[in-house]
Amino acid sequence: MATPSLSNLDLVNSCDSLKVAGNNTPLGYVLPTVAELFRNLPDWSLDDAEDDASAIPSLTLVSGTNAAERSAVVAKTCEALRQTGAFTLLKGWRNELYPVYGIGREHLFDIERAASPLFGVNTYGVHMTVYTRSKKSKELKIWARGARGRSRREEPFECLVREAAEEASLAEEVVRKGTKACGTVTYIYVRDERAGGETGLLQPECQYVYDLEVEEDVVPKPGDGEVEEFGLWSVEEVRESLARGEWKPNTALVMLDFFVRHGILTPANERDYIEIVSRLHRKLEFPTP
Amino acid sequence: MATPSLSNLDLVNSCDSLKVAGNNTPLGYVLPTVAELFRNLPDWSLDDAEDDASAIPSLTLVSGTNAAERSAVVAKTCEALRQTGAFTLLKGWRNELYPVYGIGREHLFDIERAASPLFGVNTYGVHMTVYTRSKKSKELKIWARGARGRSRREEPFECLVREAAEEASLAEEVVRKGTKACGTVTYIYVRDERAGGETGLLQPECQYVYDLEVEEDVVPKPGDGEVEEFGLWSVEEVRESLARGEWKPNTALVMLDFFVRHGILTPANERDYIEIVSRLHRKLEFPTP
């Protein structure tokens, strides 16, 4: 099982925290090598610890007094970083903004999606598992390329409805009527080769998870421009594929959560049951909306 | 919402850790006032920190080289503590043993259930929520005094079947056929007046949760000697009762988890959604089976 295995102590040992001026709440995990690039930038402060040369410095955004001003500064910095070509990650520029929140849940600033892993801020997504149950055999089968999207500042459910139409051609009324909110899956994604761009970056993430049970004749279809087809997989096929490491790490976690909620993984057949259920729901360290 | 609000740092500041000799893994939260009672007992070692007079000492069971021997020593100590009458908690003696596990999941020793909160070791329970859906209105209603039991070293599901018969008179075949494992709820229960006995003791606990949807004509009935009847409550009635603080804290958490899994609490209607879902699944610090 490829869940992240960093302890909180590991994280403290390997990372800075991002902050904004006048607000002592850490907002993201910044790798020391990334933080160094900010040392002489006017809008940022990289504070070396006074007493301990080996301690990791802290990165603070010192410009801007409101969300709009801070967002403008962050955008300027990200654009500059992009121009330098220093980060492969930024070649995936999306022109899509992610919100970052403070401890009082106030909106602190927005940041370009592609740049967010450099700052290690919380990211948010929605994931729906579409499944059906055979009328005859009652067997549960899963449409194994679930609709997947990202919430910007829209409501998770509205994001889901939009993405289900775009990515799986599911009719809005089917989704609005049949979808059930089933919790969240939260974790720290240690970005590897499969994520694209620099590896080792830490991405704390919250996936809002939804289930949609459909009739046997409902077939999700990829939207325009999408190549990968949906297939109707048995639970056993999904399990074997997961065990072969064929799923993106975070999508694998969402599927494990589905298995737990549907009594497919149980205390009787999964020796790591308690640990898995806890770790699918990691308490995120940084403020959430 | 009365979930425990201790940070891990709070816990470190207020507690000892229980250990066994030759095994440096902490096994439980022991309050300093409780630990002091062990200072001169032969089978126990209370190690004051060498360099710091203000640091909290660590309690270690030094006798016994296997589970049977350690269990005998623990039993002797608990019985002695009971005789002194020092702890109201021990007036609830049950002659029921709870297992304690090591980091390699090995069985380290058993401890009398009533004494377990003094040592702050992990405890385990099972909880089933029985509900029905009206054929006409499709409204979901909950049998609001769910079968509730404790696992000793038996399998959680077998414990559930037994307790469902004893506490709710549910037929074994109904339970075996219809029950669905739905995960765990894990938390640290800060014992208050409602728990009985000393308050402030820390009880890390794992509830294995199960759902059972029954036909409208199935009525759970308390077993012999039980007074409290089951009632069929609407979701709204349960929510209002929870908000009035009428539920035991841990049973309230299991019900919130049911609400999350069934799309009753959603990101749209619960502002604390992300935090609640995470905290219903706290990663327990001590080893589990």
Side-chain angles (χ1 to χ4, degrees):
Chain A
M1 242 281 298
T3 44
S5 62
L6 291 180
S7 72
N8 287 325
L9 185 60
D10 291 337
L11 293 169
V12 169
N13 287 341
S14 67
C15 305
D16 296 343
S17 283
L18 167 69
K19 296 176 181 171
V20 300
N23 185 322
N24 206 31
T25 309
L27 304 173
Y29 303 114
V30 188
L31 295 189
T33 47
V34 176
E36 278 304 319
L37 298 177
F38 290 77
R39 190 173 287 283
N40 295 312
L41 298 190
D43 298 315
W44 300 83
S45 153
L46 190 66
D47 299 321
D48 297 294
E50 281 180 22
D51 302 332
D52 182 357
S54 68
I56 291 168
S58 172
L59 179 66
T60 306
L61 171 60
V62 292
S63 294
T65 57
N66 57 46
E69 288 176 12
R70 289 188 208 99
S71 298
V73 173
V74 170
K76 192 177 73 174
T77 302
C78 291
E79 183 60 41
L81 288 173
R82 181 191 188 188
Q83 297 299 334
T84 69
F87 294 104
T88 313
L89 198 72
L90 298 180
K91 294 186 175 140
W93 198 272
R94 301 255 191 160
N95 282 317
E96 187 182 328
L97 294 174
Y98 273 3
V100 176
Y101 300 92
I103 190 78
R105 306 183 189 206
E106 71 278 20
H107 176 218
L108 285 179
F109 60 88
D110 291 321
I111 185 168
E112 156 62 26
R113 171 175 170 173
S116 63
L118 293 177
F119 295 84
V121 296
N122 285 349
T123 58
Y124 306 90
V126 296
H127 187 107
M128 180 158 70
T129 304
V130 182
Y131 66 102
T132 189
R133 236 180 265 273
S134 159
K135 277 219 180 65
K136 283 182 199 164
S137 69
K138 302 290 177 198
E139 185 193 355
L140 181 154
K141 290 199 169 191
I142 297 160
W143 286 101
R145 174 185 167 282
R148 174 126 200 294
R150 299 282 184 162
S151 67
R152 284 163 288 187
R153 294 188 67 198
E154 68 190 328
E155 284 296 317
F157 186 70
E158 297 306 316
C159 174
L160 183 83
V161 171
R162 182 175 53 74
E163 297 273 353
E166 290 175 13
E167 298 196 9
S169 314
L170 289 168
E172 178 171 340
E173 63 273 19
V174 170
V175 176
R176 288 202 183 273
K177 198 172 162 203
T179 300
K180 190 170 82 165
C182 298
T184 57
V185 172
T186 44
Y187 49 84
I188 298 173
Y189 181 24
V190 184
R191 292 175 66 96
D192 61 12
E193 294 72 17
R194 287 169 289 187
E198 284 66 23
T199 61
L201 297 167
L202 300 170
Q203 184 172 349
E205 195 160 54
C206 169
Q207 294 281 356
Y208 296 92
V209 295
Y210 295 85
D211 279 358
L212 174 61
E213 181 171 352
V214 295
E215 299 294 325
E216 288 182 87
D217 59 354
V218 173
V219 177
K221 290 186 179 58
D224 293 343
E226 301 264 355
V227 179
E228 206 182 349
E229 294 283 336
F230 289 90
L232 191 57
W233 294 33
S234 72
V235 166
E236 205 42 45
E237 286 167 334
V238 174
R239 293 182 80 146
E240 287 168 2
S241 174
L242 284 169
R244 287 193 299 267
E246 294 171 352
W247 292 56
K248 278 173 62 180
N250 49 2
T251 314
L253 297 196
V254 171
M255 193 49 65
L256 288 181
D257 178 65
F258 180 89
F259 284 173
V260 169
R261 291 184 292 100
H262 286 265
I264 296 165
L265 283 187
T266 72
N269 68 23
E270 172 54 66
R271 72 183 292 272
D272 298 320
Y273 195 71
I274 297 176
E275 179 167 352
I276 286 172
V277 177
S278 292
R279 293 182 67 181
L280 292 174
H281 303 92
R282 182 187 277 264
K283 179 91 164 67
L284 297 179
E285 186 180 356
F286 308 129
T288 52
Chain B
M1 243 281 299
T3 44
S5 62
L6 291 180
S7 71
N8 288 327
L9 184 60
D10 291 337
L11 293 169
V12 169
N13 287 341
S14 66
C15 305
D16 296 343
S17 281
L18 167 69
K19 296 175 181 173
V20 301
N23 185 322
N24 205 32
T25 308
L27 304 173
Y29 304 114
V30 188
L31 295 189
T33 48
V34 175
E36 278 304 319
L37 298 176
F38 290 78
R39 191 172 287 284
N40 295 312
L41 297 188
D43 298 315
W44 299 84
S45 152
L46 190 66
D47 299 321
D48 297 295
E50 281 181 22
D51 303 331
D52 183 357
S54 68
I56 292 169
S58 172
L59 178 66
T60 306
L61 171 61
V62 292
S63 294
T65 58
N66 58 45
E69 289 177 9
R70 290 187 207 99
S71 297
V73 174
V74 170
K76 192 176 72 173
T77 302
C78 290
E79 184 59 40
L81 288 173
R82 180 190 189 188
Q83 297 298 334
T84 68
F87 294 105
T88 313
L89 198 72
L90 298 181
K91 294 185 176 142
W93 198 271
R94 302 253 190 161
N95 283 316
E96 187 182 328
L97 294 174
Y98 273 3
V100 176
Y101 300 92
I103 191 77
R105 307 183 188 204
E106 71 278 20
H107 177 218
L108 286 178
F109 60 88
D110 290 320
I111 185 168
E112 156 64 24
R113 171 175 170 174
S116 64
L118 293 177
F119 295 84
V121 295
N122 285 349
T123 58
Y124 306 91
V126 296
H127 187 107
M128 181 158 70
T129 304
V130 182
Y131 66 102
T132 189
R133 236 180 264 272
S134 160
K135 277 219 179 65
K136 282 182 197 162
S137 70
K138 302 289 178 200
E139 185 192 355
L140 180 153
K141 290 199 168 192
I142 298 160
W143 286 102
R145 175 185 166 282
R148 175 124 200 292
R150 299 283 184 163
S151 67
R152 284 163 288 188
R153 292 189 68 197
E154 67 191 329
E155 284 295 317
F157 186 70
E158 297 307 316
C159 174
L160 183 83
V161 171
R162 182 176 52 74
E163 297 273 354
E166 289 175 14
E167 298 196 9
S169 314
L170 288 169
E172 178 170 340
E173 64 272 21
V174 170
V175 175
R176 287 202 184 273
K177 198 172 162 202
T179 299
K180 191 171 82 166
C182 298
T184 56
V185 172
T186 43
Y187 49 83
I188 298 173
Y189 181 24
V190 184
R191 292 175 66 95
D192 61 13
E193 295 71 17
R194 288 169 290 187
E198 283 67 23
T199 60
L201 297 167
L202 300 172
Q203 184 173 348
E205 196 160 56
C206 169
Q207 294 281 357
Y208 296 92
V209 295
Y210 296 85
D211 280 357
L212 174 61
E213 181 170 353
V214 295
E215 298 295 324
E216 286 182 88
D217 59 353
V218 173
V219 178
K221 290 185 178 58
D224 293 342
E226 300 264 356
V227 179
E228 205 183 348
E229 294 283 335
F230 288 91
L232 191 57
W233 294 33
S234 71
V235 166
E236 205 42 44
E237 286 166 333
V238 173
R239 294 181 79 147
E240 287 168 3
S241 175
L242 284 168
R244 286 193 300 268
E246 293 170 353
W247 292 55
K248 279 174 59 181
N250 49 1
T251 315
L253 297 196
V254 171
M255 193 49 66
L256 288 181
D257 178 65
F258 180 89
F259 284 174
V260 168
R261 290 185 292 100
H262 286 266
I264 295 164
L265 282 186
T266 72
N269 67 23
E270 172 53 67
R271 72 184 291 272
D272 298 320
Y273 194 72
I274 296 176
E275 178 167 353
I276 286 172
V277 177
S278 291
R279 293 182 66 182
L280 291 174
H281 303 94
R282 183 188 276 263
K283 178 91 163 68
L284 297 180
E285 187 181 354
F286 308 129
T288 53

